[in-house]
Amino acid sequence: MRRLRLRVRGQVQGVGFRPHVWRLAMRDSLTGFALNDRDGVLLEVQGDVGAFVEDLVTLAPPLARIDAVEQEPRPVVAHERRFVIRDSAPTGPARAAIAPDVATCPDCLAELFDPANRRYLHPFIACTQCGPRFTVTRRLPYDRPTTAMADFPLCSACAAEYADPMDRRFHAETTCCPACGPRLDMALPEIAARIRAGQIVALKGLGGFHLVCDARDDAAVQCLRARKHRDGKPFAVMVPNLATARRMADVDATAAAALQHRARPIVIVPMRAETRLARGVSNGLPDVGLFLPYTPLHWLVLWALLGRPAGHAWTSAGSDTALVATSANRSGEPIVIDGTGARGHLAGVADAVVDHDRAIVTRADDSVMRVVAGAPAFVRRARGFTPAPISLAREMPAVVALGAQLKATVTVIRGREAFVSQHVGDLDTPAAVAFLEATLRHMLAVLDVAPVAVACDLHPDFPSTRLAHRLGLPVFPVQHHHAHTAALAAEHGVDGPMLGLSLDGFGLGPDGTAWGGELLRVDGARCERLGHLAPLPAPGGDRAAREPWRMAAAALHRLGRADEIDRRFAAEPLARAVRRLLASGIACQPTTSAGRLFDAAAGLLGICNRQDFEGEAAMRLEALAAAASVMPGGWQIRHGVLDLLPLLGLLADGVAPAEGAALFHGTLIAAVTEWAARAAAANGLRVVALGGGGFLNRVLAEGLAAGLATHGLTALVARAVPPNDGGLSLGQAFVAASALSGTQAQEGMTSCVSQSR
Ligand SMILES: [Zn+2]
Ligand SMILES: [Zn+2]
Ligand SMILES: [Zn+2]
């Protein structure tokens, strides 16, 4: 007979952990108690406790994430007869975490379509293994009164399940039923009829509204595109199950696992030639973003569209049913989360709004993934993954970071954990900036962190930088590509120097010029620029980033072939003006951006002269590169500067687009591999961190990882956060926290210096 006190840390609240403890205690005839507190779960067990301690971890429920179990012997309590679950004890600072939202579980799905179940067709069915979490939680500890379900008192039947430790809904904080739960404001047959009729319906989801229409209906998809003013960017598509996904696209085992992950991210996969999807869904790009239903309402809408089939077979059988489901927002603004906003902002976009009375507390877009180098990588990390923390190699000071301008996120470091917020988005509108600030405040409140410093981008004019300076904390501006590569050091626990390879769009350098294709020596808070891509002039500044033909003109200018600009870009009214700009050097800031190099190649090959959305030219170029081939002599490396001018010259010579795309990728891979390998050897480094938006390009990321491996180098690939600017705040926070915990603490320090030669 022994008594043990056990402290369990990690993701152990709202995941069915206490019932798990209770069942084990019953099995082994133990006495004692368990309770939720702000550190996680605290329990004491008495009796023959050997098997209990082992099974506590090995048999933990699927949603639990156990970071640590601490044991302490306690004196045996005489005459204890039972094991009890005690009420939560919300004292002391919070160390526990809110769980991410989870897709409807198989048990709930079975009940949803069982006519004998009391939750038959109930759009809010949930249990301890599924349902909303992050998006409905106001604060910790996670209990019904602190969630959006506080407005829905449990009926007696639900209350009995909630109180029964043997029930799947024991302390399921978001459980409810048709008698006591929220209500949908439109009947399913009407929703289905509207979609069948080609209408666009705004449908309330977990983290915001979707705009939904029939993905096979060309007219409906074109109408949505026109009304949303979304000229070229592909739409995501919801399909009922994997079998249906495989009719639409080539879904390999890795992509299938990602699609079926309980977070249900959008997964970008190659579309099949015989797909039934309307052409307007992906607008000529070969890939499509698919996802599987993750709320009971999604399941019910699909069921209604399929003609209300009996039984459960349809939930896994292939069909042709597919719905466009894209974030409902006004251009540049955050996703809409309430019915009033939906009716106001989406007037003229949606034909109908389907709302319900369970509030969305925290906005979260769908997460987006793509299989890169054999495993899923984030394109956008949000619903289903936030706010799960990223484990750091060691304890670090409490620092917050605010990202840059595009794809902004917030990171908060608490101890050995880094919490990266959901995708906030581009900070182009006051509403988006307000969302960034609200996200910061919510995270600090929920995590109960008092930050000692704030990190931001080196660019003084980004709204995130201005917000950082308003917080009244020491400010650490971090160079953009230092942050990109430091994010990999944080994720992979790198302690010590590494080579940072950034292939990215734009980030301000400490020298005041536009950086983007960089080779850095990164060691925590220290960063040294070892090399960069040969600069190209960017005629017209920001316009050059939207109009690849301008970068192509810049390449022609560098090649000494400026006389070809007028003829090649005759369709561009400003072609002659841009040629003169290049000749004079006025409004032609040089940039080492890898993104602009892709633009130049796409422009020279005639693949994309103007981009409808960020990264479009690079995406179209990648899409054409079926294979990668190398142009011998296509590059030069001098004093750390990689110049691909010979390659650009070849692309300007009338090469066919597909051949040119293959040459561009293959030569870039060979060139960058040699460039990085030389720098690694010269600096005695073995690890190369691949950071920046360019590494979502599969051909490039896979080619470089393989190429670096042949030189005995280890390539670090971003898996926990996106390699693009969505992961930047993690790197910024890591740099500032490293500075504070080292001897280099200095407010206002410039985080990246150029190597003097
Ligand atoms: Zn469930
Ligand atoms: Zn009920
Ligand atoms: Zn970037």
Side-chain angles (χ1 to χ4, degrees), residues 118 155 158 176-177 179-180:
R118 70 190 188 88
C155 69
C158 287
C176 60
C177 74
C180 65

Side-chain angles (χ1 to χ4, degrees), residues 90-126:
T91 50
R95 306 299 295 185
I98 300 175
D101 302 293
V102 182
T104 307
C105 75
D107 289 341
C108 284
L109 187 60
E111 292 175 354
L112 182 62
F113 294 107
D114 174 5
N117 191 281
R118 70 190 188 88
R119 293 190 179 83
Y120 179 57
L121 307 186
H122 178 51
F124 304 94
I125 190 168

Side-chain angles (χ1 to χ4, degrees), residues 198-210:
Q199 291 194 2
I200 292 155
V201 175
L203 193 68
K204 194 173 189 176
L206 276 183
F209 278 80
H210 276 139

Side-chain angles (χ1 to χ4, degrees), residues 269-294:
V269 283
M271 206 152 28
R272 290 174 72 109
E274 61 274 35
T275 184
R276 293 278 315 275
L277 298 175
R279 203 187 133 67
V281 166
S282 64
N283 242 6
L285 284 164
D287 292 344
V288 63
L290 298 180
F291 70 98
L292 303 182
Y294 56 83

